[in-house]
Amino acid sequence: MVLKVYNTLTRSKEEFTPLHGNRVNMFVCGPTVYDYMHLGHARTYIAYDVIARYLRYKKYSLFYIMNITDVDDKIIERAKEKNVHPIKLAVEYENYFMEDMERLGINTVNLFVRASEHLEEIINQVKTLIEKGYAYETETGVYYDVTKFLDYGKLSRQKPEELSQHRVDPDPTKRHPQDFALWKKRSREEFGWDSPWGYGRPGWHIEDTAITVTYFGPTYDIHGGAIELIFPHHEAEIAQAEAATGVKPLVRYWVHTGLLTVRGEKMSKSLGNFITVRDALKKYDAETLRFFFILTHYRSPIDFDEQKLEQARESLRTLYNTLQNLQETEQADELTEEDKNLQTKLQQFKQKFIDAMDDDFNTPVAVSVLFELAHEVNRVIQKNKRISSKLKEDVSNLFKELGGILGILQKPIRKEAETEIVDKLLEVIIEVRNELRNRKEYEIADRIRNRLREVGIVLEDTGKGTRWRFS
RNA sequence: GCCCGGGUGGCCGAGUGGUGGAGGCGGCGGCCUGCAGAGCCGCUUCACGAGGGUUCGAAUCCCUCCCCGGGCUCCA
């Protein structure tokens, strides 16, 4: 089966073929760095992280760029409030963003590109658009004339003339209310740059096309972002780049992720209903957050609810329990009937997982394959009480390999908080408790277990002794 | 107003014309266990917002309607 990707432009799944052989160029709209990263961002960037991991797993040579919007009205407003320089504020939140990304295990981006470092390219692109007759200058800025670009609206399926409703009053100097800003003229007191049209700042959409044309050329493979960006942001990108370079398409596959909502409303900074990544990580570990998100297909909306996060945590624990059960199962040299059977099935599980991912990165189905595998493994262990050493290793490797695509199942069986002293302490407690159990002093033995449970340590008595784990 | 999505079991969530509602979470019963946990077996589960239509056959295609969300120049 070949990889199929849903393309927003055609509203259908298409076979994925990169423009240049094995090379895949992917660009994802990054954050505006004026506040902490929240779970809505996490959802999107985890989705693209999984996509990137899978593309590399499929042996594509992926070059993944994410931009950092560090020039923006919001940043300037916030900087004013806090009485710091906008760039300083942006750098601060960019650092927080990078920390959060790392903690979430999002490590697939090859290059982060700051808008502020590409003013030359931005200005050049605006110049080109004016020269080619797509843009015009007024006393307030430079604007893109959407009537000059016949394809305007092809991504969002809107007719430019119908875009008459506005939340913000359009600038009165524009030829048409739908025209969007490429350069905003500003007074010298404000943060900005010099340009052929005077002092000011770039418009919202121009940084992305200036960056992608610079690094990828006029056409590249995948452009990602959340669904809210289809219009106007991505529509404007198409208009800018295809007009400026004269080459279409700008992007071969437009990919959009569904939004994270809270009680039905979009999680967003402006609504104030957001949970920051750092707060979420205080209560749930990174793999749980990832697992929560990949349990739903990337294009579907997710309504955030802490109960669902807890469900995800329990669900992930089931997989880890299986890994632990496997690890603790006695090894044998020879293969039983069940071992042989499972050994041959491993390839099928792997193929099923890949088929799911090939179908527009269907992570919920891919995860279900992991559960089916876990189920089979547990059955064999349950029946035979032992497993061949080769099978044990193969199963364990397969979980690691497939889990690695999703960014889960990468932790050691016990948490990293484990230290030698904790381990030894528990050894002592378990030893004493088992002595009590031998003497049938169950009341005290149970009290020890219950009290440990309260502090987050679970004791489990198995046929082969007592084991412990963090809850 | 215009454009785009979505409504599946107690909950989450796959499935986009054809044997069984995948998988998970929760609950209940059984095996195992001193008990509990983990795991296994079974049940909870003949569902697809409503009403029409097309078809041998519709959750899936078409029409109308209801509800929810997103976008319409701030946004992952």
Side-chain angles (χ1 to χ4, degrees), chain A residues 355-372:
Chain A
D355 287 347
M357 291 300 286
D358 275 345
D359 184 16
D360 193 30
F361 312 105
N362 196 331
T363 54
V365 171
V367 167
S368 78
V369 176
L370 296 181
F371 278 98
E372 283 172 10

Side-chain angles (χ1 to χ4, degrees), chain A residues 26 28 44-52 64 108 224-225 255-257:
Chain A
M26 175 163 93
V28 171
T44 296
Y45 299 136
I46 286 169
Y48 290 106
D49 185 59
V50 170
I51 287 172
Y64 175 8
T108 40
V255 177
H256 291 98
T257 51

Side-chain angles (χ1 to χ4, degrees), chain A residues 333-435:
Chain A
D333 290 333
E334 73 279 15
L335 281 83
T336 61
E337 250 340 278
E338 288 79 13
D339 283 359
K340 284 181 201 155
N341 196 6
L342 180 53
Q343 188 80 52
T344 55
K345 272 188 175 169
L346 289 185
Q347 197 54 38
Q348 294 166 27
F349 281 118
K350 183 171 165 177
Q351 194 53 49
K352 228 176 145 183
F353 184 99
I354 289 168
D355 287 347
M357 291 300 286
D358 275 345
D359 184 16
D360 193 30
F361 312 105
N362 196 331
T363 54
V365 171
V367 167
S368 78
V369 176
L370 296 181
F371 278 98
E372 283 172 10
L373 172 60
H375 187 67
E376 288 283 323
V377 170
N378 281 323
R379 262 217 283 243
V380 171
I381 293 171
Q382 175 93 2
K383 180 152 193 285
N384 296 336
K385 310 288 183 220
R386 54 191 204 116
I387 192 165
S388 91
S389 46
K390 171 151 194 321
L391 181 57
K392 184 170 177 174
E393 200 187 327
D394 288 351
V395 168
S396 169
N397 287 341
L398 187 57
F399 271 118
K400 271 254 150 38
E401 177 182 327
L402 301 181
I405 294 169
L406 305 172
I408 57 166
L409 304 180
Q410 301 303 301
K411 295 188 299 181
I413 297 303
R414 284 186 195 155
K415 282 188 185 166
E416 51 277 12
E418 178 185 358
T419 61
E420 210 184 329
I421 190 80
V422 171
D423 206 34
K424 284 193 170 152
L425 195 60
L426 278 154
E427 236 173 74
V428 173
I429 294 170
I430 287 167
E431 189 184 308
V432 173
R433 179 171 166 274
N434 280 336
E435 183 58 37

